[in-house]
Structures are given as structure tokens and as C-alpha cells.
């Protein structure tokens, strides 16, 4: 499968956004900026929530209390 998107274009993606600790995720369309120099854009088919994400969502670590937030850095596909 190939993407026919110009790397300099903004793209729209579906994301599960958390607006605060322990708040329900809100499924939203988000706009993603083009990659910067030395970055790449990849297509992610699915992702998971790891223990670090879960702790951040629960608000256990003060340094991770940044919202709105999109979790799921362990991607596959």
C-alpha cells in the first residue's frame, strides 16, 4: 500500500483525545502538520495504550499532566 500524499501537506487523522485525567476519550478528527527536517510520516493502522500511558491518563505523574493529549506511542501496522 502506498500513500499518494505530498509530504509537505497537512493531513487529517482520527485520534482518541483525552481532555483531562481520567476523562473519557473523545474520538476526533485532528489536523497533523507536515514532518520537519529529519522526520518521517508513517501510516499507523492501530496502536495500544501501555502502562506509561495508563499512568499518565490516571494523572499519577504530575509531569505528564498535559492535556489535551493523544496516547498510544506503541504503534503497529
Amino acid at each position: 500500500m502506498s500513500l499518494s500524499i505530498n509530504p509537505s501537506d497537512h493531513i487529517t487523522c482520527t485520534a482518541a483525545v483525552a481532555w483531562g485525567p481520567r476523562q473519557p476519550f473523545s474520538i476526533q478528527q485532528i489536523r497533523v502538520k507536515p514532518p520537519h527536517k529529519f522526520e518521517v510520516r508513517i501510516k499507523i493502522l492501530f496502536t495500544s495504550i501501555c502502562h506509561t500511558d495508563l499512568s499518565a491518563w490516571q494523572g499519577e505523574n504530575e509531569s505528564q499532566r498535559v492535556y489535551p493529549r493523544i496516547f498510544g506511542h506503541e504503534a503497529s501496522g
Side-chain angles (χ1 to χ4, degrees):
M1 180 188 317
S2 66
L3 293 174
S4 59
I5 299 172
N6 183 335
S8 64
D9 291 342
H10 284 78
I11 61 172
T12 302
C13 298
T14 303
V17 181
W19 289 92
R22 298 182 181 268
Q23 296 297 309
F25 288 91
S26 171
I27 306 301
Q28 298 181 234
Q29 295 294 313
I30 61 165
R31 189 169 180 206
V32 180
K33 295 178 183 178
H36 294 283
K37 188 175 183 177
F38 302 114
E39 293 181 337
V40 296
R41 178 179 286 162
I42 59 171
K43 183 174 183 174
I44 297 173
L45 299 179
F46 59 91
T47 187
S48 63
I49 304 294
C50 70
H51 187 264
T52 302
D53 287 337
L54 179 61
S55 296
W57 177 76
Q58 292 173 332
E60 293 176 1
N61 185 337
E62 189 171 330
S63 67
Q64 296 177 331
R65 292 182 193 158
V66 180
Y67 297 94
R69 186 177 186 136
I70 299 171
F71 294 100
H73 62 267
E74 295 185 358
S76 183

